[in-house]
Amino acid sequence: MPEDLLLRGAHVIDPSTGRDEVCDVAVADGRIAAEPGPGATTLDCDGLVLAPGLVDMHTHLRQPGREDKETVETGCRAAALGGFTAVAPMANTEPVADHAGVIHEVRDLGAAAGLCDVFPVGAITRGLAGEAMAEIGEMVEAGVRLFSDDGRCVPTARMLRNALTYARAFDGVVMAEHCEDTSLAEGGQMHEGLHSYSLGLAGQPREAEEVIVARDLAVARLSGGRLHLCHLSSAGSIELVRLAKAQGLRVSAEVTPHHLVFSEEDLLTYDTNLKVNPPLRAAEDRDALHEALADGTIDAVATDHAPHAVEDKEVEFDQAPPGTIGLETALGAVLTHLVEPGVLSLARAIEAMSTAPARILGAAGHGGPIEPGRPANLVVFDPAAEWTVEPPFASRSRNSAFLGQVLRGRAVHTVYAGELVVADGKAQR
Ligand code: NCD
Ligand code: ZN
């Protein structure tokens, strides 16, 4: 059993109950307790915020298959240091997580690391090939609640319809879509527009995302299944989701920190760490993402932590694979670029990074409430801590879009299942 803790004098923000007060929080036997045990270790949390541990519903951990980029253990360490107590690794591993075997393997590796909960995402189609349905029933039995072909779009409306219809048989199962029409996006290195013309890079239009968002919302309506839209990037997608939600469709959506912070204008340096899928779009799109996250049209912030090897990224822009790491910077990025300028309240930011993704994932024990008897999955962070994003990272990769940025706000302590896995900003395992 982990040691008992007394987190003293923290500013407790719990979006699941609306609680917002300075008080003590005790942890005993892995759970939140009404009173501290006699031998509890006291941590002075004066000036620090205590919240439900962050939950990342879109992470790439690369194991099995590309352990040179990341392993479940290194990814979980990056997550814990970033304030996360749960991550959902995507299915685009080698082999693909399209059957229960890989799901068990990834979950067991997560349990062995013991740094955060790991909720593996199952593939929708076998081998992510878009042709035959993956072993969804078997994976549901293994506890999977989120399914996605992320990295690729489900190619036909019919396949998505079948998956959504099938998923209805299982309570709480969600199909998460990477919205990208291949015929429009293929070859595109960045957002299509004046900047792509002047940089001489092939563009991909925002319509590549929007036509699939429109298709998927229509198919969700047809099938009645639960749809989640990954990493939305365009203002037009937001309008479609807003309308669908107003009409009562059960749909949810996420946005990444990098799409909230950067735009196509940042590509002037041809920095391959800013080459991501979907591409960074125009400033107007970014503004629409801010508004949608603030008003709840977008439910969650998800990192899309996508580690890539140095040698893969240190190539010509059009040769580089898309993706940025994000677990260690997500909290600082959101606090610095959204909370500080007043785009989001602190409570809404924590809701979008913890309570909302925990609900969509069905991650019981995460996202609050911070109440006696509940599993102790908590983050304590310093909203005023200034730090520069630079290696070394806990992640095995260092392809961060935020390299060199000064961020304000960083996790100090992370409590996972009652254990202090990060203390004073240092991983304890
Ligand atoms: C992801 C990856 O590298 O696996 N890359 C990315 O740019 N987002 C795949 C994905 O999420 O589309
Ligand atoms: Zn994706």
Side-chain angles (χ1 to χ4, degrees), residues 125-209:
T125 71
R126 198 174 299 164
L128 306 180
E131 281 154 22
M133 199 119 69
E135 300 293 342
I136 291 178
E138 175 185 297
M139 290 190 279
V140 171
E141 251 171 56
V144 176
R145 285 291 170 275
L146 194 68
F147 289 86
S148 181
D149 273 4
D150 183 62
R152 298 201 193 154
C153 187
V154 176
T156 66
R158 185 189 183 88
M159 175 56 77
L160 185 68
R161 179 189 188 179
N162 289 347
L164 283 164
T165 304
Y166 186 53
R168 282 183 59 188
F170 309 105
D171 204 30
V173 167
V174 179
M175 294 290 152
E177 174 79 306
H178 164 120
C179 299
E180 176 184 301
D181 180 281
T182 322
S183 69
L184 281 178
E186 209 155 34
Q189 302 297 321
M190 66 175 291
H191 176 59
E192 180 176 313
L194 287 178
H195 285 82
S196 65
Y197 303 137
S198 68
L199 293 174
L201 292 170
Q204 64 165 271
R206 53 170 78 74
E207 286 76 5
E209 177 175 297

Coordinates of all heavy atoms in Angstrom, one line a residue, residues 125-209:
T125 N -11.0 -1.1 -37.7 CA -10.9 -2.1 -38.8 C -9.6 -2.8 -38.6 O -8.6 -2.4 -38.0 CB -11.0 -1.4 -40.2 OG1 -9.8 -0.7 -40.4 CG2 -12.2 -0.5 -40.3
R126 N -9.6 -4.0 -39.1 CA -8.5 -5.0 -39.0 C -7.3 -4.4 -39.7 O -7.3 -4.0 -40.9 CB -8.8 -6.3 -39.7 CG -8.0 -7.4 -39.3 CD -8.5 -8.7 -39.8 NE -9.8 -9.1 -39.3 CZ -10.6 -10.0 -39.9 NH1 -10.2 -10.6 -41.0 NH2 -11.8 -10.2 -39.4
G127 N -6.2 -4.3 -38.9 CA -4.9 -3.7 -39.5 C -5.0 -2.3 -39.9 O -4.2 -1.8 -40.7
L128 N -6.1 -1.6 -39.5 CA -6.4 -0.2 -39.9 C -6.5 -0.1 -41.4 O -6.3 1.0 -42.0 CB -5.3 0.8 -39.4 CG -4.9 0.9 -38.0 CD1 -3.8 1.9 -37.8 CD2 -6.1 1.2 -37.1
A129 N -6.9 -1.2 -42.0 CA -6.9 -1.3 -43.5 C -8.3 -0.8 -44.0 O -8.4 -0.6 -45.2 CB -6.6 -2.7 -44.0
G130 N -9.2 -0.6 -43.2 CA -10.5 0.0 -43.6 C -11.4 -1.0 -44.4 O -12.4 -0.6 -45.0
E131 N -11.0 -2.3 -44.3 CA -11.8 -3.3 -45.1 C -12.7 -4.2 -44.3 O -13.9 -4.3 -44.6 CB -10.8 -4.1 -45.9 CG -10.4 -3.4 -47.2 CD -9.0 -3.8 -47.7 OE1 -8.6 -4.9 -47.4 OE2 -8.3 -3.0 -48.4
A132 N -12.1 -4.8 -43.3 CA -12.9 -5.7 -42.4 C -12.9 -5.1 -41.0 O -12.0 -4.5 -40.5 CB -12.3 -7.1 -42.4
M133 N -14.0 -5.4 -40.3 CA -14.1 -4.9 -38.9 C -13.1 -5.6 -38.0 O -12.9 -6.8 -38.2 CB -15.5 -5.1 -38.4 CG -15.8 -4.3 -37.2 SD -17.2 -3.2 -37.5 CE -18.6 -4.3 -37.6
A134 N -12.5 -4.9 -37.1 CA -11.5 -5.5 -36.1 C -12.3 -6.4 -35.1 O -13.6 -6.4 -35.2 CB -10.8 -4.4 -35.4
E135 N -11.6 -7.1 -34.3 CA -12.3 -7.9 -33.3 C -12.8 -7.1 -32.1 O -12.4 -7.1 -31.0 CB -11.2 -8.9 -32.7 CG -10.6 -9.9 -33.7 CD -11.6 -10.8 -34.3 OE1 -12.7 -11.0 -33.7 OE2 -11.3 -11.4 -35.4
I136 N -13.9 -6.3 -32.5 CA -14.4 -5.3 -31.5 C -15.0 -6.0 -30.3 O -14.8 -5.6 -29.2 CB -15.4 -4.4 -32.3 CG1 -14.6 -3.5 -33.2 CG2 -16.1 -3.5 -31.3 CD1 -15.4 -2.5 -34.0
G137 N -15.8 -7.0 -30.6 CA -16.5 -7.7 -29.4 C -15.5 -8.3 -28.4 O -15.6 -8.1 -27.2
E138 N -14.5 -8.9 -28.9 CA -13.4 -9.4 -28.1 C -12.7 -8.3 -27.3 O -12.4 -8.5 -26.1 CB -12.4 -10.2 -29.0 CG -11.2 -10.7 -28.4 CD -10.3 -11.3 -29.5 OE1 -10.6 -12.2 -30.2 OE2 -9.1 -10.8 -29.6
M139 N -12.5 -7.2 -27.9 CA -11.8 -6.1 -27.3 C -12.7 -5.4 -26.2 O -12.2 -5.0 -25.2 CB -11.3 -5.1 -28.3 CG -10.1 -5.6 -29.1 SD -9.3 -4.4 -30.1 CE -10.4 -4.3 -31.5
V140 N -14.0 -5.4 -26.5 CA -15.0 -4.8 -25.5 C -14.9 -5.7 -24.3 O -14.9 -5.2 -23.1 CB -16.4 -4.7 -26.1 CG1 -17.4 -4.4 -25.0 CG2 -16.5 -3.7 -27.2
E141 N -14.9 -7.0 -24.5 CA -14.8 -8.0 -23.4 C -13.5 -7.7 -22.6 O -13.5 -7.9 -21.4 CB -14.8 -9.4 -23.9 CG -16.1 -10.1 -23.6 CD -16.1 -11.5 -24.3 OE1 -15.2 -12.3 -24.1 OE2 -17.1 -11.7 -25.1
A142 N -12.5 -7.3 -23.3 CA -11.2 -7.0 -22.6 C -11.2 -5.7 -21.9 O -10.2 -5.2 -21.4 CB -10.0 -7.2 -23.6
G143 N -12.4 -5.0 -22.0 CA -12.5 -3.7 -21.3 C -12.3 -2.5 -22.1 O -12.4 -1.3 -21.6
V144 N -12.2 -2.6 -23.5 CA -11.9 -1.4 -24.3 C -13.3 -0.7 -24.5 O -14.3 -1.3 -24.7 CB -11.4 -1.8 -25.7 CG1 -11.2 -0.6 -26.6 CG2 -10.0 -2.5 -25.5
R145 N -13.2 0.6 -24.4 CA -14.4 1.5 -24.5 C -14.3 2.4 -25.7 O -15.2 3.0 -26.2 CB -14.7 2.3 -23.3 CG -15.3 1.4 -22.2 CD -16.7 1.0 -22.5 NE -17.3 0.0 -21.6 CZ -17.1 -1.3 -21.8 NH1 -16.3 -1.8 -22.7 NH2 -17.7 -2.2 -20.9
L146 N -13.0 2.7 -26.1 CA -12.8 3.7 -27.2 C -12.1 2.9 -28.4 O -11.2 2.2 -28.2 CB -11.9 4.8 -26.7 CG -11.8 6.0 -27.6 CD1 -13.1 6.8 -27.6 CD2 -10.7 7.0 -27.1
F147 N -12.7 3.1 -29.6 CA -12.2 2.5 -30.8 C -11.9 3.6 -31.8 O -12.6 4.5 -32.0 CB -13.2 1.5 -31.3 CG -13.4 0.3 -30.5 CD1 -14.2 0.3 -29.4 CD2 -12.6 -0.8 -30.7 CE1 -14.4 -0.8 -28.6 CE2 -12.7 -2.0 -29.9 CZ -13.6 -2.0 -28.8
S148 N -10.7 3.4 -32.5 CA -10.3 4.4 -33.5 C -9.3 3.8 -34.4 O -8.5 3.0 -34.1 CB -9.7 5.6 -32.8 OG -9.3 6.5 -33.8
D149 N -9.4 4.2 -35.7 CA -8.4 3.9 -36.7 C -7.4 5.0 -36.8 O -6.7 5.2 -37.8 CB -9.0 3.6 -38.1 CG -9.5 2.2 -38.2 OD1 -9.4 1.4 -37.3 OD2 -10.0 1.8 -39.4
D150 N -7.3 5.8 -35.8 CA -6.5 7.1 -35.8 C -5.2 6.9 -36.5 O -4.5 5.9 -36.3 CB -6.3 7.7 -34.4 CG -5.6 9.0 -34.5 OD1 -6.1 9.9 -35.1 OD2 -4.4 9.1 -34.1
G151 N -4.9 8.0 -37.2 CA -3.7 7.9 -38.2 C -4.3 7.8 -39.6 O -3.8 8.3 -40.5
R152 N -5.5 7.1 -39.6 CA -6.3 6.9 -40.8 C -7.7 7.2 -40.6 O -8.2 7.0 -39.5 CB -6.1 5.5 -41.4 CG -4.7 5.2 -41.7 CD -4.7 4.0 -42.7 NE -3.3 3.5 -42.7 CZ -3.0 2.3 -43.0 NH1 -4.0 1.4 -43.3 NH2 -1.8 1.9 -43.1
C153 N -8.4 7.6 -41.6 CA -9.8 7.8 -41.6 C -10.5 6.5 -41.9 O -10.0 5.8 -42.8 CB -10.1 8.9 -42.6 SG -11.8 9.5 -42.6
V154 N -11.7 6.2 -41.3 CA -12.5 5.1 -41.8 C -12.9 5.4 -43.2 O -13.6 6.4 -43.4 CB -13.7 4.9 -40.8 CG1 -14.6 3.7 -41.4 CG2 -13.2 4.5 -39.4
P155 N -12.6 4.6 -44.2 CA -12.7 5.1 -45.6 C -14.1 5.2 -46.1 O -14.3 6.0 -47.0 CB -11.8 4.0 -46.4 CG -11.8 2.8 -45.5 CD -11.9 3.3 -44.1
T156 N -15.0 4.4 -45.6 CA -16.3 4.5 -46.2 C -17.4 4.7 -45.2 O -17.3 4.3 -44.0 CB -16.7 3.2 -47.0 OG1 -16.9 2.1 -46.0 CG2 -15.7 2.8 -48.1
A157 N -18.4 5.4 -45.6 CA -19.6 5.7 -44.7 C -20.2 4.4 -44.3 O -20.6 4.2 -43.1 CB -20.6 6.5 -45.4
R158 N -20.2 3.4 -45.2 CA -20.8 2.1 -44.8 C -20.0 1.4 -43.7 O -20.6 0.9 -42.8 CB -20.8 1.2 -46.1 CG -21.5 -0.1 -45.8 CD -21.3 -1.1 -47.0 NE -22.1 -2.3 -46.7 CZ -23.4 -2.4 -47.0 NH1 -24.0 -1.5 -47.7 NH2 -24.0 -3.5 -46.7
M159 N -18.7 1.4 -43.8 CA -17.9 0.8 -42.7 C -18.1 1.5 -41.4 O -18.3 0.9 -40.3 CB -16.4 0.8 -43.1 CG -15.5 0.3 -42.0 SD -15.8 -1.4 -41.4 CE -15.1 -2.3 -42.8
L160 N -18.2 2.8 -41.4 CA -18.4 3.6 -40.1 C -19.8 3.2 -39.6 O -20.0 3.1 -38.4 CB -18.2 5.1 -40.4 CG -18.4 5.9 -39.1 CD1 -17.2 5.6 -38.1 CD2 -18.5 7.4 -39.4
R161 N -20.8 3.2 -40.5 CA -22.1 2.8 -40.1 C -22.2 1.5 -39.4 O -22.8 1.3 -38.4 CB -23.1 2.8 -41.4 CG -24.5 2.4 -41.0 CD -25.4 2.2 -42.2 NE -26.8 2.0 -41.7 CZ -27.8 1.8 -42.5 NH1 -27.6 1.8 -43.8 NH2 -29.0 1.7 -42.0
N162 N -21.5 0.5 -40.0 CA -21.5 -0.8 -39.4 C -20.9 -0.8 -38.0 O -21.4 -1.4 -37.1 CB -20.7 -1.8 -40.3 CG -21.5 -2.1 -41.6 OD1 -22.6 -1.9 -41.7 ND2 -20.8 -2.7 -42.5
A163 N -19.8 0.0 -37.9 CA -19.1 0.0 -36.6 C -19.9 0.7 -35.6 O -20.1 0.2 -34.4 CB -17.7 0.7 -36.8
L164 N -20.5 1.8 -36.0 CA -21.4 2.6 -35.0 C -22.6 1.7 -34.6 O -23.0 1.8 -33.4 CB -21.8 3.9 -35.6 CG -20.8 5.0 -35.6 CD1 -21.2 6.1 -36.6 CD2 -20.5 5.6 -34.2
T165 N -23.2 1.0 -35.6 CA -24.4 0.2 -35.3 C -24.0 -0.9 -34.4 O -24.7 -1.2 -33.4 CB -24.9 -0.3 -36.6 OG1 -25.2 0.8 -37.5 CG2 -26.2 -1.1 -36.4
Y166 N -22.9 -1.6 -34.7 CA -22.4 -2.7 -33.8 C -22.1 -2.2 -32.4 O -22.5 -2.8 -31.4 CB -21.1 -3.2 -34.5 CG -20.6 -4.5 -33.8 CD1 -21.4 -5.6 -33.6 CD2 -19.2 -4.5 -33.4 CE1 -20.9 -6.7 -33.0 CE2 -18.7 -5.7 -32.8 CZ -19.6 -6.8 -32.6 OH -19.1 -7.9 -32.0
A167 N -21.5 -1.0 -32.3 CA -21.1 -0.5 -31.0 C -22.3 -0.2 -30.1 O -22.2 -0.2 -28.9 CB -20.3 0.8 -31.2
R168 N -23.5 0.0 -30.7 CA -24.7 0.3 -29.9 C -25.0 -0.9 -29.0 O -25.7 -0.7 -28.0 CB -25.9 0.6 -30.8 CG -25.8 2.0 -31.4 CD -27.1 2.2 -32.2 NE -28.3 2.1 -31.5 CZ -29.5 2.1 -32.0 NH1 -29.7 2.3 -33.3 NH2 -30.6 2.0 -31.2
A169 N -24.6 -2.1 -29.4 CA -24.9 -3.2 -28.6 C -24.1 -3.2 -27.3 O -24.4 -3.9 -26.3 CB -24.5 -4.5 -29.3
F170 N -23.1 -2.4 -27.2 CA -22.2 -2.3 -26.0 C -22.3 -0.9 -25.4 O -22.0 0.1 -26.0 CB -20.7 -2.6 -26.4 CG -20.5 -3.8 -27.2 CD1 -20.2 -3.7 -28.5 CD2 -20.6 -5.1 -26.6 CE1 -20.0 -4.9 -29.3 CE2 -20.3 -6.2 -27.3 CZ -20.1 -6.1 -28.7
D171 N -22.9 -0.9 -24.2 CA -23.1 0.4 -23.5 C -21.8 1.2 -23.4 O -20.8 0.6 -23.0 CB -23.7 0.1 -22.2 CG -24.4 1.3 -21.6 OD1 -25.0 2.0 -22.5 OD2 -24.5 1.4 -20.4
G172 N -21.8 2.4 -23.8 CA -20.7 3.3 -23.6 C -19.5 3.2 -24.6 O -18.5 3.9 -24.4
V173 N -19.7 2.3 -25.6 CA -18.6 2.2 -26.5 C -18.6 3.4 -27.5 O -19.7 3.7 -28.0 CB -18.6 0.8 -27.2 CG1 -17.7 0.8 -28.5 CG2 -18.2 -0.2 -26.2
V174 N -17.5 4.0 -27.8 CA -17.4 5.2 -28.6 C -16.4 4.9 -29.8 O -15.4 4.3 -29.6 CB -16.8 6.4 -27.7 CG1 -16.7 7.6 -28.6 CG2 -17.7 6.6 -26.5
M175 N -16.9 5.4 -30.9 CA -16.0 5.3 -32.1 C -15.4 6.7 -32.4 O -16.1 7.7 -32.5 CB -16.9 4.9 -33.4 CG -17.5 3.5 -33.3 SD -16.2 2.2 -33.5 CE -16.9 0.9 -32.5
A176 N -14.1 6.7 -32.4 CA -13.4 8.0 -32.5 C -12.7 8.0 -33.9 O -12.0 7.2 -34.3 CB -12.3 8.1 -31.4
E177 N -13.0 9.1 -34.5 CA -12.6 9.2 -36.0 C -11.5 10.3 -36.2 O -11.6 11.4 -35.7 CB -13.9 9.6 -36.8 CG -13.7 9.9 -38.2 CD -13.5 8.6 -39.1 OE1 -12.6 7.8 -38.8 OE2 -14.2 8.5 -40.1
H178 N -10.6 9.9 -37.0 CA -9.5 10.8 -37.5 C -10.1 11.3 -38.9 O -10.1 10.5 -39.8 CB -8.2 10.0 -37.7 CG -7.2 10.6 -38.5 ND1 -5.9 11.0 -38.1 CD2 -7.2 11.0 -39.8 CE1 -5.2 11.5 -39.0 NE2 -5.9 11.5 -40.1
C179 N -10.6 12.5 -38.9 CA -11.4 13.0 -40.0 C -10.5 13.6 -41.1 O -10.0 14.7 -41.0 CB -12.4 14.1 -39.6 SG -13.6 13.5 -38.4
E180 N -10.3 12.8 -42.2 CA -9.5 13.3 -43.3 C -9.9 12.5 -44.5 O -9.7 11.3 -44.6 CB -8.0 13.0 -42.9 CG -7.0 13.3 -43.9 CD -5.6 12.9 -43.5 OE1 -5.1 13.3 -42.5 OE2 -5.0 12.0 -44.3
D181 N -10.4 13.3 -45.5 CA -10.7 12.7 -46.8 C -9.3 12.5 -47.6 O -8.7 13.5 -48.0 CB -11.6 13.6 -47.6 CG -12.0 13.0 -48.9 OD1 -11.2 13.1 -49.8 OD2 -13.1 12.3 -49.0
T182 N -8.9 11.3 -47.7 CA -7.6 11.0 -48.3 C -7.5 11.6 -49.7 O -6.5 12.1 -50.1 CB -7.4 9.5 -48.4 OG1 -8.0 8.9 -47.3 CG2 -6.0 9.2 -48.5
S183 N -8.6 11.6 -50.5 CA -8.5 12.1 -51.9 C -8.2 13.6 -51.9 O -7.6 14.1 -52.9 CB -9.8 11.8 -52.6 OG -10.9 12.5 -52.2
L184 N -8.6 14.3 -50.9 CA -8.3 15.8 -50.8 C -7.0 16.0 -50.1 O -6.3 17.0 -50.4 CB -9.4 16.5 -50.1 CG -10.7 16.8 -50.8 CD1 -11.7 17.5 -49.9 CD2 -10.4 17.7 -52.1
A185 N -6.7 15.2 -49.1 CA -5.5 15.5 -48.3 C -4.2 14.9 -48.8 O -3.1 15.4 -48.5 CB -5.8 14.9 -46.9
E186 N -4.3 13.9 -49.6 CA -3.1 13.2 -50.1 C -2.0 14.1 -50.6 O -2.3 15.0 -51.4 CB -3.5 12.2 -51.2 CG -2.6 11.0 -51.2 CD -3.3 9.8 -51.8 OE1 -4.0 10.0 -52.8 OE2 -3.0 8.7 -51.4
G187 N -0.8 13.9 -50.1 CA 0.3 14.7 -50.5 C 0.5 16.1 -49.9 O 1.5 16.7 -50.0
G188 N -0.6 16.5 -49.2 CA -0.6 17.8 -48.6 C 0.4 17.9 -47.4 O 0.3 17.0 -46.5
Q189 N 1.2 18.8 -47.4 CA 2.2 19.0 -46.3 C 1.8 19.9 -45.2 O 2.3 19.9 -44.1 CB 3.6 19.5 -46.9 CG 4.1 18.6 -48.0 CD 4.5 17.2 -47.4 OE1 5.0 17.1 -46.3 NE2 4.1 16.2 -48.2
M190 N 0.9 20.8 -45.6 CA 0.4 21.8 -44.6 C -0.9 22.3 -45.1 O -1.4 21.9 -46.1 CB 1.4 23.0 -44.5 CG 1.5 23.8 -45.8 SD 2.6 25.3 -45.7 CE 1.6 26.3 -44.6
H191 N -1.5 23.2 -44.3 CA -2.8 23.8 -44.7 C -2.7 24.5 -46.0 O -1.8 25.2 -46.3 CB -3.2 24.8 -43.6 CG -4.5 25.5 -43.9 ND1 -5.7 24.8 -44.1 CD2 -4.8 26.8 -44.0 CE1 -6.6 25.7 -44.3 NE2 -6.1 26.9 -44.3
E192 N -3.7 24.3 -46.9 CA -3.7 24.9 -48.2 C -4.2 26.3 -48.1 O -5.2 26.6 -47.6 CB -4.6 24.1 -49.1 CG -4.7 24.6 -50.5 CD -5.5 23.7 -51.4 OE1 -5.3 22.5 -51.4 OE2 -6.4 24.3 -52.2
G193 N -3.4 27.2 -48.7 CA -3.7 28.6 -48.7 C -2.5 29.5 -49.1 O -1.5 28.9 -49.6
L194 N -2.6 30.8 -48.9 CA -1.5 31.7 -49.4 C -0.1 31.2 -48.8 O 0.9 31.3 -49.5 CB -1.8 33.1 -48.9 CG -2.9 33.8 -49.7 CD1 -3.2 35.2 -49.2 CD2 -2.5 33.8 -51.2
H195 N -0.1 30.8 -47.6 CA 1.1 30.4 -47.0 C 1.7 29.1 -47.7 O 2.9 29.1 -47.9 CB 1.0 30.1 -45.5 CG 0.9 31.4 -44.7 ND1 -0.3 32.1 -44.6 CD2 1.8 32.1 -44.0 CE1 -0.1 33.2 -43.8 NE2 1.2 33.2 -43.5
S196 N 0.9 28.2 -48.0 CA 1.4 27.0 -48.7 C 2.0 27.3 -50.0 O 3.0 26.8 -50.5 CB 0.4 25.8 -48.7 OG -0.7 26.2 -49.5
Y197 N 1.3 28.3 -50.7 CA 1.8 28.7 -52.0 C 3.1 29.4 -51.9 O 4.1 29.1 -52.6 CB 0.8 29.7 -52.7 CG -0.6 29.1 -52.9 CD1 -1.7 29.8 -52.6 CD2 -0.8 27.7 -53.3 CE1 -3.0 29.3 -52.8 CE2 -2.0 27.2 -53.4 CZ -3.1 28.0 -53.1 OH -4.4 27.4 -53.3
S198 N 3.2 30.3 -50.9 CA 4.5 31.1 -50.8 C 5.6 30.2 -50.2 O 6.8 30.4 -50.6 CB 4.3 32.4 -50.0 OG 4.1 32.0 -48.6
L199 N 5.3 29.2 -49.4 CA 6.4 28.3 -48.9 C 6.7 27.2 -49.9 O 7.7 26.5 -49.8 CB 6.0 27.7 -47.6 CG 5.8 28.6 -46.4 CD1 5.3 27.9 -45.2 CD2 7.2 29.3 -46.1
G200 N 5.9 27.1 -51.0 CA 6.2 26.1 -52.0 C 5.9 24.7 -51.5 O 6.5 23.7 -51.9
L201 N 5.0 24.5 -50.5 CA 4.6 23.2 -50.0 C 3.2 22.8 -50.5 O 2.4 23.7 -50.6 CB 4.7 23.2 -48.5 CG 6.0 23.4 -47.8 CD1 5.9 23.6 -46.3 CD2 6.9 22.1 -48.1
A202 N 3.1 21.6 -50.8 CA 1.7 21.1 -51.2 C 0.7 21.3 -50.1 O 1.1 21.0 -48.9 CB 1.8 19.7 -51.7
G203 N -0.4 21.8 -50.4 CA -1.4 22.1 -49.3 C -2.5 21.0 -49.2 O -2.7 20.3 -50.1
Q204 N -3.1 21.0 -48.0 CA -4.3 20.2 -47.9 C -5.4 21.1 -47.3 O -5.2 21.8 -46.3 CB -4.1 18.9 -47.2 CG -3.8 19.0 -45.7 CD -4.0 17.7 -45.0 OE1 -5.0 17.4 -44.5 NE2 -2.9 16.9 -45.0
P205 N -6.6 21.2 -48.0 CA -7.6 22.2 -47.6 C -8.3 21.7 -46.4 O -8.4 20.5 -46.1 CB -8.5 22.2 -48.8 CG -8.4 20.8 -49.4 CD -7.0 20.4 -49.2
R206 N -8.9 22.7 -45.7 CA -9.7 22.3 -44.5 C -10.9 21.5 -44.8 O -11.4 20.7 -44.0 CB -10.1 23.6 -43.7 CG -10.8 24.7 -44.4 CD -11.3 25.7 -43.5 NE -10.4 26.7 -43.0 CZ -9.8 27.7 -43.7 NH1 -10.2 27.9 -44.9 NH2 -9.0 28.5 -43.1
E207 N -11.3 21.6 -46.1 CA -12.4 20.8 -46.5 C -12.1 19.3 -46.4 O -13.0 18.5 -46.4 CB -12.8 21.2 -47.9 CG -13.6 22.5 -48.1 CD -12.7 23.7 -47.9 OE1 -11.4 23.6 -47.9 OE2 -13.2 24.8 -47.9
A208 N -10.8 18.9 -46.5 CA -10.5 17.5 -46.3 C -11.0 17.0 -45.0 O -11.4 15.8 -44.9 CB -9.0 17.3 -46.4
E209 N -11.0 17.8 -44.0 CA -11.5 17.4 -42.7 C -13.1 17.6 -42.7 O -13.8 16.7 -42.2 CB -10.9 18.3 -41.6 CG -11.5 18.1 -40.2 CD -10.7 18.9 -39.1 OE1 -9.5 18.7 -39.0 OE2 -11.3 19.8 -38.5

